[in-house]
Amino acid sequence: MNQTILRTEKLKAFYVLDVLGTRKVVKAVNEVDLEIRENEIYGIAGESGCGKTTLLKTLYAAIEPPLRLIGGKVYYRVNGEEVEVSSLSREEKRKLRWEYVSYVPQGSMSVLNPVIRLKETFRDFLDSHVSGKTKDEAFAIAREHIAALGLPQKILDAYPHQLSGGMRQRVTIALAALLKPRIIIADEPTTALDVVVQRGVVQLLKDIQQNLRNTIVLVTHDMGVQANIADRIGIMYAGKMVEEATTEGIFGDPLHPYTRYLINSLPRFGDKTTRESVPGSPPSLINLPSGCPFHPRCPYALEICKEQMPGFVKLDNNHKVACWLVGEGGNGKAS
Ligand code: SF4
């Protein structure tokens, strides 16, 4: 089993809002424990609004106000040593970003400057991270990098608006890989792309991971994309991790009732029966149900589910579940 490269302990990220003079706390990431390994693609899935993007931004330490409360710890393994991010100076964090960990946000236009050619964007990026490169040297590095990823050279002379959405997304990913980071954090990189273009973006991420032998943490609600690319998958519900397993484990032996709904709702070749979706609606992160947050939608809910949140129980090295029906969580209490 590969070493852990990114780990969290009881990570919390809450937004504090002022709604008509009343303070509201949005519990977007609520005591999340993660262990992400070297040389793997780790997928995070769940319905919209379950806290996936906030979790990624918190891992990347890129959260801006109105996020006020943050608790727990984030550890990165850097050059063989585990460092806790909050103990780093501003300058150390700046160095960690992009050079060690890079971030692909939702929507390529939030990264690409619309009024300069893409080669200038690559040059600006190199300028701010690698000192002493002349303009020609920076353009040469960009050309070499684009060629290595199998993308057409002519895109470097284009403005972002001259490219298709899929190509812009690939350029954004190429930019994130430019400094050969050990970890790439990608937020919904295939959203709003048609399936053929999606396949190209997924393949590019796979190629980068295989070439750099690094770690990719990928958020997408699209379970088809997860099946295609992820080595392991974490299922998130209402700000918490509720199941984690290898991709085979999640699709072949889902144990949490919410995961089972996600898998059962997927279309299957040749099967024309109506797919069953998750009943009800996701809870408000401002007003979470007591106990297990899935209990109002869960057909198996027990009395204890309404009162206590089950622990995230490790069944083996690759499978964890938070449900009173499974593993130690179900010991006696659910019977
Ligand atoms: Fe359902 Fe209870 Fe398991 Fe939550 S803990 S998923 S409510 S059975």
Side-chain angles (χ1 to χ4, degrees), residues 263-329:
I263 305 298
N264 289 340
S265 63
L266 294 173
R268 286 184 174 78
F269 272 123
D271 183 350
K272 297 207 169 108
T273 54
T274 310
R275 309 312 304 167
E276 197 184 4
S277 63
V278 192
S281 315
S284 158
L285 298 180
I286 292 177
N287 190 16
L288 286 168
S290 58
C292 168
F294 191 56
H295 86 254
R297 306 170 78 183
C298 181
Y300 313 104
L302 305 156
E303 275 313 304
I304 193 172
C305 305
K306 298 174 192 163
E307 289 154 18
Q308 289 180 43
M309 177 67 198
F312 199 28
V313 175
K314 193 171 182 172
L315 304 178
D316 59 43
N317 272 341
N318 281 318
H319 210 147
K320 286 185 183 173
V321 186
C323 174
W324 286 118
L325 297 178
V326 182
E328 283 174 29

Side-chain angles (χ1 to χ4, degrees), residues 117-127 133-157 171 174-175 177-180:
R117 293 181 197 276
L118 288 164
K119 63 183 179 187
E120 298 291 351
T121 297
F122 276 80
R123 185 171 73 95
D124 283 355
F125 184 79
L126 280 166
D127 258 2
K133 294 276 177 250
T134 65
K135 191 173 175 173
D136 286 346
E137 282 169 342
F139 288 162
I141 291 171
R143 274 197 298 277
E144 203 178 302
H145 181 64
I146 287 292
L149 294 178
L151 300 175
Q153 290 288 314
K154 60 181 183 199
I155 59 174
L156 287 171
D157 291 315
V171 170
L175 200 55
L178 185 60
L179 300 179
K180 302 184 172 31

